[in-house]
Each structure stands twice: as C-alpha cells, then as structure tokens.
C-alpha cells in the first residue's frame, strides 16, 4: 500500500534563483522525494516548493531543505511584500494517500525537534500539529513578523518555541505543521490601486465576514493590484465561488479581472468541481476523466519499475552499491512489517514496549538505507567527474580523485554497517515478533546479509584505488568483522524461525 505525503515549504527568497534552486536540489537528492513545482515571486521575495513522496523521504527532504535555506537566507537582510518569520517560513505536511493526519503530525514533530536540536532554529508547531490552541493559526504565530519575533523571543513567555532555542537568529523561526490541501490563488485587477484590492480582500476573507475558508490580502505585483488568497478548504469553499465573489466585488468598483494565478500545485478535484459548475455538468463523475480512470487501474502495482529500468540501462549508476542499499532497506522494511503485525495483539502484550522500540529503530534504518540508494550513485558520479575534469591537473587532480574515491568507499561502508544493524533487529523480531510472520523476519536477516556482502565488495574495490592504503586496510578489517557478524546473525535468524515453526 503506497503512502504519499505532500510537503509545501515556503522560503523567504524569491529574487535569487540560485538560492531557491539549490534548496530544491537538496530535496531532489533525497531518494523517494519528488519535486513537483518551484514557484518564486520577486515582489513577495518568496518561493514555494511542492514535493511529494513516501513519509520517510518527505521527512528527510523537509529537514534538508530547511538546513539548506538556513545557509543561504539572512532575515536581517530580507525585504518583501509577504509576511514572514523565518528563512524557511512555514513547512506544512499534507496527507495525500494512505496516510493519516496523525501520521503527518508525528512527521512534523520529528522534523521540528531535529531542526531545533541540530540546526539551532526555533520551531513552532501549527495546524493539526499545534501543541497549544493559540498556535493553531499560522497568522497568530507570525504576528509582527520576523522583526517583532526577534525582539520578543528571548523575553516574552508566549514566544517560547516548541523546539529549539528561545533566542534571536538570522534564520528566524520556522513554523511546521499539518494542514489539509491549501490552494494559493491570486487574482489580478485592471488597476494599480492597492487600496481597492484590499477592500475586495476584506470582503472575501472570512475574518472580515467573507467566505468561510478564505484568507486574503491586497498587494501590488508587477504594476497590478492583486487579491492574494489562501483557500484553506476547497471542498467547503470551492474555487469557483471565490472567483465569482471577487469578480462581483471588482465590478462594484468598475474593475474587471485581468488574470488569475495559481501558486504551486492544487488538487485536480478543485478544478473538476469548477469545471462542473461552469459547464453545468451536474451528473459528471470524476472517473469520467481519462487520467483518473487510468490511475485507478494501476494503483495496486507495487513493482519498482523506475529503479529496475535505471539499473538495467546502459549507465554505470545505479549499480551494485545502490542495489546493496536497497537490499538493506528491504531488510529493515520486513522487520518493520513484522513489528506492525505484532503490535496491538493480545498474545504479544508482554513484549509490546520492546516491539515499539524495535519499530522505531527499523523505521530509522529503512530511511537511512533508502537514502543511501541515491547517495551511492551520486558518490560514483562524483568520482567519475573527478577523473574526467580537464580543468584540474597534477597533484590537485590526484587529491580530488583521492577524496572522491574515499567518499565512494564510505557510502557502501555505511550501508554495510547499517545493514548489519538491520540484521540484529531482524534477529530480535524473529525471536519475539508475530509467529505468523517469523519467516519474514528471518528473510530480513538474509536480505541484510546480502546487503553487507555486496556493499563490502564495493568498499574493497574503492579501497584498491586509494593512495592511503592504511585507510583501505582499516576498511578491510572492519568489513571482515561486519561480514562475519552478519553471517552469524542470518544463520541465527533462520534457525530461530525453524524452531518457532516457520518452516
């Protein structure tokens, strides 16, 4: 059952493409995270990146994006039309498919804690992840923007963050949470009079007596007055209702709409409902749209075609190293499955606390090993680039190759270490996990053994190319230990599974 989470972080930079493109690339480097859209507005000096993926990938990519933004963006130097509190201003998670709100809340809290602990950035939780009623709304947290927050965070108790230090930082604060689909939708008017745009915004937004799920402000963008809106629940306040109300309010001032603008992505259903309304297709069913019918027909296919096709292509990556990482991730996934099949069963109540701990560890390992699939391919590509670089020669070139070779060996070495750890967890799951899934737990140990063996081959071949043979020998010694230990663990798991009646 494929799980999909969407993340739509907003960054306080819309004027330097090299910055928001670098942030987007940090997301792309996380395997399983897919950047769908990058929207930047120079006037607002803000960019919005939309990406999706499995929960683990989205969680890691969100952290990497926040870390990268902190390196580039200084709020003391930032100016723009849009309200903002931090370099990564807001980072919402949205459940898309086979994921609950509660699962997204856990993602938001883990990312928040990591951002606070590792990056030293103040984090506030909002929306469904909020820990206090007064922080449910983003606008309440962002009151006074960065400048007031900077002055108050260390002295005003209400400003104490959920995670991270209560002190000023040039990265500002990041607001992380969970919300439904939000449609960022702007309407331009045939005037440069922002006062009229603000009057229309007041008429439309809920806080001034307008439509229930609409937030709106007036701005001047590219010489035109703009009604900038967030539609927080398009199911209850459809996009066409908002469009028509803005059109009527504009007509009251003798104005018309010149164009509308979608920022980022929006659910297909929002536009289907608008089409039905405008075309009066009252009896139209969603699955009459060809693409929807096709998606439904293929939704149960779990085969990882992209990876298999990429591996089989006439390119050196992904290769054995990435395949080792995949095997390790599968090992962790199998142990995770057994843990989930054990939790909540009365028969295993006595080991529930231990299983919960194992589940947390398998989830973390699966994520690390999944990320290594892409890291291994990237390390090999960097090594090839070092060899091919004609701009560098002599000792400088040899040093660059040496460093790239070292990195190309360290990635599979990490895979071997983590896969050995996965084998340990598999043995534990074989011992106490659901007896009906004991062969899956043993399979996890065998898969981990394969991962260690293949990763070890990749480390050794890179070690041969190192000038620093002391390092290569240290690698070989550690690999021998890892292989021996994992072999023993796999045999132990298989024997244990047989004893418990697995086969």
């Amino acid at each position: 059952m494929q799980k999909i989470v969407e993340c739509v972080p907003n960054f306080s930079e819309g004027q330097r493409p090299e910055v928001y493109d670098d942030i987007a690339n940090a997301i792309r480097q996380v395997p399983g995270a897919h950047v769908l859209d990058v929207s930047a507005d120079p006037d607002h000096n803000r960019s919005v990146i939309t990406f999706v993926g499995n929960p683990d990938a989205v969680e890691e990519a969100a952290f990497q994006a926040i870390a990268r933004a902190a390196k580039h963006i200084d709020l003391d130097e930032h100016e723009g039309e849009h309200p903002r509190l931090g370099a990564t201003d807001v980072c919402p998670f949205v459940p898309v498919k086979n994921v609950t709100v509660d699962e997204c809340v856990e993602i938001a809290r883990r990312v928040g804690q990591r951002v606070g602990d590792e990056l030293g950035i103040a984090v506030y939780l909002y929306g469904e992840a909020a820990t206090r009623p007064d922080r449910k709304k983003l606008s309440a947290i962002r009151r006074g923007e960065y400048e007031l927050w900077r002055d108050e965070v260390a002295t005003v108790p209400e400003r104490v963050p959920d995670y991270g230090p209560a002190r000023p930082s040039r990265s500002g604060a990041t607001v992380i949470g969970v919300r439904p689909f939000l449609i960022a939708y702007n309407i331009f008017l045939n005037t440069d009079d922002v006062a009229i745009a603000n009057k229309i915004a007041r008429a439309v937004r809920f806080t001034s007596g307008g439509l229930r799920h609409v937030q709106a402000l007036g701005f001047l963008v590219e010489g035109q007055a703009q009604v900038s809106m967030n539609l927080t629940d398009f199911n209850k306040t459809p996009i066409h209702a908002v469009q028509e109300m803005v059109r009527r309010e504009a007509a009251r001032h003798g104005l018309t709409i010149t164009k509308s603008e979608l920022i980022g992505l929006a659910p297909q259903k929002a536009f289907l409902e608008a089409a039905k309304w405008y075309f009066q297709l009252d009896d139209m069913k969603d699955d009459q749209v060809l693409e929807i019918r096709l998606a439904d027909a293929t939704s149960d296919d779990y085969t990882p075609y992209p990876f298999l096709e990429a591996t089989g292509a006439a390119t050196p990556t992904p290769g054995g190293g990435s395949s080792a990482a995949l095997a390790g991730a599968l090992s962790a996934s199998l142990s995770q499955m057994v843990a989930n099949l054990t939790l909540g069963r009365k028969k295993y109540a006595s080991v529930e606390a231990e299983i919960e701990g194992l589940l947390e560890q398998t989830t973390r390992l699966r994520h690390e090993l999944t990320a290594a699939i892409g890291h291994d391919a990237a390390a090999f590509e960097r090594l090839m680039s070092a060899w091919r670089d004609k701009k560098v020669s002599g000792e400088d070139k040899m040093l660059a190759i040496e460093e790239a070779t070292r990195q190309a060996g360290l990635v599979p070495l990490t895979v071997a270490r983590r896969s050995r750890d996965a084998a340990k967890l598999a043995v534990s799951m074989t011992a106490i996990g659901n007896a009906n899934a004991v062969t899956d737990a043993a399979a996890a140990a065998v898969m981990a053994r394969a991962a260690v063996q293949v990763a070890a081959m990749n480390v050794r071949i890179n070690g041969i190319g190192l000038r620093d043979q002391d390092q290569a020998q240290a690698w070989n010694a550690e690999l021998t230990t890892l292989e021996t230990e994992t072999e023993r663990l796999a045999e132990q798991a298989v024997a244990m599974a047989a004893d418990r009646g697995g086969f």
Side-chain angles (χ1 to χ4, degrees):
M1 184 172 63
Q2 185 184 28
K3 293 186 174 185
I4 300 177
V5 176
E6 179 190 51
C7 186
V8 195
N10 289 217
F11 303 96
S12 297
E13 178 55 66
Q15 299 173 354
R16 295 180 292 168
E18 67 274 15
V19 171
Y20 53 77
D21 285 344
D22 190 47
I23 296 170
N25 286 334
I27 296 169
R28 292 186 181 102
Q29 288 169 9
V30 177
H34 306 282
V35 174
L36 301 181
D37 185 71
V38 179
S39 296
D41 188 317
D43 292 295
H44 287 193
N45 201 6
R46 189 177 185 85
S47 54
V48 179
I49 299 178
T50 303
F51 65 96
V52 298
N54 65 75
D56 288 346
V58 169
E59 182 174 329
E60 176 66 18
F63 175 81
Q64 294 299 333
I66 293 168
R68 192 68 59 89
K71 291 181 179 180
H72 289 301
I73 302 171
D74 183 343
L75 264 290
D76 286 333
E77 303 295 329
H78 180 272
E79 293 182 357
E81 290 282 343
H82 202 286
R84 79 283 186 268
L85 193 64
T88 302
D89 186 52
V90 59
C91 182
F93 295 95
V94 182
V96 175
K97 182 179 180 183
N98 299 324
V99 178
T100 66
V101 168
D102 288 342
E103 287 176 289
C104 285
V105 168
E106 290 304 312
I107 292 172
R109 292 178 179 172
R110 285 194 298 269
V111 172
Q113 183 165 16
R114 191 176 172 193
V115 168
D117 293 347
E118 297 182 28
L119 303 180
I121 295 173
V123 173
Y124 298 88
L125 297 174
Y126 88 108
E128 297 300 321
T131 56
R132 293 167 33 172
D134 59 321
R135 290 184 178 173
K136 291 278 286 186
K137 291 186 177 180
L138 175 61
S139 57
I141 300 172
R142 205 158 53 190
R143 174 184 59 83
E145 299 189 45
Y146 166 72
E147 287 74 16
L148 184 60
W149 172 85
R150 179 187 58 198
D151 295 340
E152 293 184 347
V153 64
T155 57
V156 178
E158 290 75 16
R159 290 285 198 178
V160 174
D162 291 292
Y163 301 107
R167 63 171 182 263
S169 162
R170 290 187 175 184
S171 295
T174 294
V175 188
I176 299 176
V178 177
R179 61 161 174 77
F181 277 111
L182 180 149
I183 300 176
Y185 190 69
N186 304 327
I187 295 179
F188 290 83
L189 308 172
N190 62 333
T191 181
D192 60 2
D193 191 341
V194 179
I196 296 178
N198 272 314
K199 288 180 181 179
I200 295 174
R202 280 195 297 273
V204 172
R205 66 178 175 243
F206 177 68
T207 55
S208 303
L211 297 173
R212 178 65 180 87
H213 299 282
V214 177
Q215 301 166 346
L217 291 171
F219 293 106
L220 182 67
V221 179
E222 298 176 352
Q224 281 187 277
Q226 178 197 86
V227 182
S228 178
M229 294 173 288
N230 285 335
L231 314 184
T232 60
D233 191 336
F234 72 90
N235 288 302
K236 296 178 180 177
T237 303
I239 195 168
H240 55 265
V242 177
Q243 184 84 5
E244 291 307 306
M245 186 168 182
V246 172
R247 191 189 309 279
R248 289 195 303 269
E249 290 296 320
R252 288 182 60 242
H253 298 279
L255 301 176
T256 61
I257 294 173
T258 59
K259 66 176 182 178
S260 299
E261 175 184 49
L262 178 67
I263 303 298
L265 304 184
Q268 185 179 48
K269 184 174 176 58
F271 297 101
L272 272 176
E273 293 306 311
K276 292 175 188 177
W277 189 84
Y278 279 111
F279 294 131
Q280 296 179 267
L281 292 167
D282 298 333
D283 298 324
M284 178 183 172
K285 296 179 175 61
D286 289 354
D287 66 0
Q288 286 182 262
V289 176
L290 175 62
E291 289 79 4
I292 292 177
R293 185 71 66 86
L294 287 173
D296 289 343
T298 59
S299 61
D300 294 330
D301 188 352
Y302 301 117
T303 308
Y305 291 112
F307 182 81
L308 296 174
E309 290 171 359
T311 303
T315 56
T317 58
S322 294
S323 297
L326 175 61
L330 287 170
S331 170
S333 296
L334 285 166
S335 291
Q336 186 179 20
M337 178 189 76
V338 178
N340 281 317
L341 290 172
T342 307
L343 286 175
R345 307 291 176 94
K346 291 182 180 180
K347 183 178 179 180
Y348 302 100
S350 63
V351 295
E352 183 154 331
E354 188 174 353
I355 292 292
E356 286 177 345
L358 291 170
L359 178 59
E360 182 179 344
Q361 293 177 67
T362 56
T363 302
R364 176 178 54 78
L365 271 181
R366 189 190 75 181
H367 172 72
E368 291 180 11
L369 286 160
T370 301
I373 296 171
H375 294 164
D376 185 86
F380 184 80
E381 292 291 346
R382 285 192 293 270
L383 177 57
M384 291 298 97
S385 295
W387 276 103
R388 295 168 185 153
D389 190 353
K390 296 180 180 179
K391 297 179 181 178
V392 182
S393 60
E395 184 62 17
D396 288 343
K397 186 178 184 72
M398 296 310 298
L399 288 173
I401 292 171
E402 177 78 358
E403 177 59 22
T405 303
R406 190 177 72 85
Q407 291 297 328
L410 283 175
V411 175
L413 180 59
T414 300
V415 169
R417 291 166 177 164
R418 297 295 176 267
S419 297
R420 182 274 317 274
D421 295 341
K424 289 181 178 179
L425 295 175
V427 169
S428 297
M429 290 308 310
T430 307
I432 64 173
N434 192 322
N436 293 325
V438 70
T439 53
D440 295 298
V446 174
M447 191 71 72
R449 178 177 62 189
V452 171
Q453 290 173 339
V454 175
M457 285 194 295
N458 280 268
V459 178
R460 289 191 174 103
I461 194 67
N462 282 290
I464 292 171
L466 276 179
R467 297 165 75 182
D468 183 356
Q469 280 300 296
D470 289 340
Q471 176 72 81
Q473 289 176 18
W475 283 354
N476 289 336
E478 182 179 357
L479 289 169
T480 298
T481 301
L482 289 169
E483 288 176 303
T484 301
E485 185 177 1
T486 310
E487 178 71 30
R488 177 181 58 78
L489 290 166
E491 291 176 354
Q492 183 182 351
V494 171
M496 198 180 299
D499 289 342
R500 293 189 68 193
F503 47 87

